[in-house]
């Protein structure tokens, strides 16, 4: 069946193609009766506006790019699934790029020679770039940064309050009577801001509870994955005085840590409690199910897309803002013994 055109809609509605365009794009004023006739004709014919043509008429591509470190990481995969429908509803197609955390590649993406003709703006989760690198980007590129960063004056940032969320995770362990609490995932180098904020929350919860932090219980990892969690837990369990609980900086880290604990014959949570971060789907089906900090991924997606669309449409420079999405603590079997 031939796809309906704008002219077909105009003929059925008894108006000019220009009037149909005005209704579809919301440009010029039309009477309510005319608008109703056009909308009825659109519904009758199943007309779908050509979004790409509409964007090209304004000198835009109609596409945004979302850059994440690793597409195969469940958290980023779930976040992409939240971003795409919001962007589509706003009239944008989504391109996806994986940076692998490579500093040179990440820098090229926001530099003056980025492929700007391919996209109108970028939602960016950098891993290898520092705050200064982001501030020195191409100022003409509409940019929204997601993840554990702080905002700068020339770009927007969307994330959750990682320090507060991490504090709540450790506070949960304290409330269960745990006192020798370990942390897996610290990254004490310039680009490890995400990990450092979680370590800050770990320390804050100890101070709040009047507990001293045992530095030997803070284990650094190169990434937030299962292998890192498994290896870090091995090191912790070989200490003369191993921990009674662990705060892991991602659910993947927690999964690896739990695997090691169970392989050593320990019970989770009876012998050692484990809490993760990110609330990925895998954690809900792990055995035991993983207690976690659950960021509101849908809100992160909505705020990021809305802010980026606003920047794309703005003709004047817009100061950067730091937007906070919500989060909640989800207690499951790995800390409470029940789902």
């Amino acid at each position: 069946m031939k796809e309906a055109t704008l002219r077909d809609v105009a003929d059925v509605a008894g108006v000019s193609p220009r009037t149909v365009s005005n209704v579809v794009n919301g440009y010029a004023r039309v009477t309510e009766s005319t608008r109703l006739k056009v909308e009825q004709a659109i519904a009758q014919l199943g007309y779908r506006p050509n979004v790409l043509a509409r964007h090209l008429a304004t000198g835009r591509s109609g596409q945004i790019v979302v850059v994440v470190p690793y597409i195969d990481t469940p958290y980023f995969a779930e976040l992409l699934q939240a971003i795409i429908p919001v962007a589509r509803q706003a009239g944008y197609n989504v391109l996806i790029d994986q940076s692998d955390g490579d500093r040179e590649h990440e820098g090229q993406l926001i530099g003056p020679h980025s492929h700007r003709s391919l996209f109108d703006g970028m939602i960016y989760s950098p891993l290898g770039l520092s705050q200064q690198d982001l501030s020195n980007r191409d100022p003409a590129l509409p940019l929204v940064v997601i993840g554990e960063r702080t905002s700068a004056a020339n770009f927007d940032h969307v994330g959750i309050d990682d320090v507060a969320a991490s504090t709540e995770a450790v506070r949960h362990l304290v409330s269960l009577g745990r006192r020798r609490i370990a942390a897996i995932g610290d990254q004490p180098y310039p680009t490890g801001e995400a990990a450092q904020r979680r370590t800050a929350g770990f320390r804050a919860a100890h101070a709040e509870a009047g507990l001293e932090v045992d530095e030997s219980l803070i284990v650094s990892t190169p990434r937030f994955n299962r292998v890192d969690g498994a290896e870090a837990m091995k090191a912790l369990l070989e200490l003369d005085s191993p921990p009674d609980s662990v705060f892991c900086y991602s659910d993947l880290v927690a999964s690896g840590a739990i695997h090691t604990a169970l392989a050593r014959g320990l019970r989770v949570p009876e012998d050692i409690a484990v809490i993760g971060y990110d609330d990925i789907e895998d954690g809900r089906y792990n055995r035991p199910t993983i207690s976690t900090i659950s960021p509101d991924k849908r809100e992160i997606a909505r705020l990021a897309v809305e802010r980026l669309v606003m920047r794309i449409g703005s003709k004047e420079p817009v100061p950067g803002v730091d937007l906070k999405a919500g989060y909640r603590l989800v207690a499951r079997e790995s800390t409470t013994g029940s789902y």
Side-chain angles (χ1 to χ4, degrees):
M1 181 179 294
K2 179 177 175 288
E3 189 171 306
T5 67
L6 185 143
R7 181 170 291 281
D8 293 333
V9 174
D11 290 342
V12 170
V15 299
S16 70
R18 162 95 42 198
T19 298
V20 175
S21 178
N22 287 339
V23 172
V24 169
N25 295 297
Y27 290 154
R29 287 186 178 180
V30 294
T31 65
E32 189 60 31
S33 61
T34 298
R35 183 181 303 280
L36 183 59
K37 285 193 296 184
V38 171
E39 290 175 348
Q40 288 174 338
I42 288 173
Q44 177 184 331
L45 297 173
Y47 171 68
R48 293 180 298 177
N50 189 327
V51 174
L52 179 58
R54 186 192 311 172
H55 281 293
L56 290 175
T58 63
R60 297 174 186 155
S61 69
Q63 301 187 121
I64 62 173
V65 62
V66 182
V67 183
V68 297
Y70 309 106
I71 295 172
D72 64 349
T73 298
Y75 173 78
F76 290 116
E78 292 177 12
L79 189 58
L80 286 167
Q81 287 181 323
I83 289 173
I84 289 171
V86 179
R88 186 177 294 153
Q89 188 173 15
Y92 284 89
N93 294 320
V94 175
L95 304 174
I96 299 170
D97 193 9
Q98 174 173 294
S99 72
D100 295 309
D102 180 81
R103 187 174 184 274
E104 182 177 355
H105 179 62
E106 289 187 343
Q108 289 174 347
L109 287 171
I110 60 173
H113 302 298
S114 61
H115 303 293
R116 288 295 310 285
S117 61
L118 297 178
F119 53 84
D120 301 322
M122 180 184 295
I123 295 175
Y124 202 23
S125 181
L127 192 61
L129 297 183
S130 67
Q131 183 78 11
Q132 188 60 48
D133 294 328
L134 290 168
S135 297
N136 292 337
R137 78 180 205 285
D138 177 3
L141 172 66
L143 178 71
V144 175
V145 176
I146 55 176
E148 297 76 12
R149 297 276 176 170
T150 53
S151 178
N154 63 346
F155 67 83
D156 298 316
H157 169 257
V158 178
I160 70 170
D161 188 334
D162 283 276
V163 176
S166 300
T167 301
E168 187 167 346
V170 178
R171 185 185 295 135
H172 172 63
L173 296 175
V174 172
S175 74
L176 297 172
R178 309 292 173 156
R179 293 297 180 267
R180 190 160 173 76
I181 306 170
I184 299 178
D186 189 40
Q187 295 174 346
Y189 42 80
T191 57
E193 186 174 352
Q196 292 163 24
R197 292 172 70 82
R198 291 173 196 182
T199 301
F202 174 81
R203 294 183 183 280
H206 277 73
E208 179 184 280
L211 299 174
E212 185 176 348
V213 173
D214 183 338
E215 300 297 330
S216 70
L217 296 181
I218 301 177
V219 183
S220 299
T221 63
R223 285 183 56 183
F224 292 167
N225 59 25
R226 295 180 182 89
V227 173
D228 293 323
E231 293 300 317
M233 182 64 96
K234 286 180 184 177
L236 288 169
L237 295 180
E238 289 169 0
L239 295 174
D240 291 337
S241 182
D244 60 15
S245 54
V246 183
F247 168 43
C248 297
Y249 291 13
S250 81
D251 286 351
L252 290 182
V253 170
S255 179
I258 289 171
H259 177 82
T260 293
L262 296 177
R264 294 291 183 91
L266 297 177
R267 298 168 301 164
V268 178
E270 291 84 356
D271 298 321
I272 186 165
V274 179
I275 187 168
Y277 204 102
D278 289 341
D279 192 18
I280 62 173
E281 186 178 31
D282 287 2
R284 299 166 216 162
Y285 295 94
N286 200 76
R287 275 295 174 265
T289 54
I290 299 175
S291 297
T292 188
I293 293 294
S294 179
D296 190 333
K297 301 182 187 77
R298 290 185 179 181
E299 187 179 12
I300 292 171
R302 179 184 62 80
L303 290 172
V305 172
E306 287 180 355
R307 191 67 185 178
L308 185 62
V309 170
M310 182 277 295
R311 278 194 171 274
I312 291 170
S314 177
K315 296 181 180 179
E316 301 295 330
V318 180
V321 297
D322 194 4
L323 300 173
K324 296 297 185 189
Y327 69 87
R328 63 192 179 98
L329 185 145
V330 181
R332 298 193 179 111
E333 294 170 340
S334 67
T335 57
T336 66
S338 60
Y339 188 82

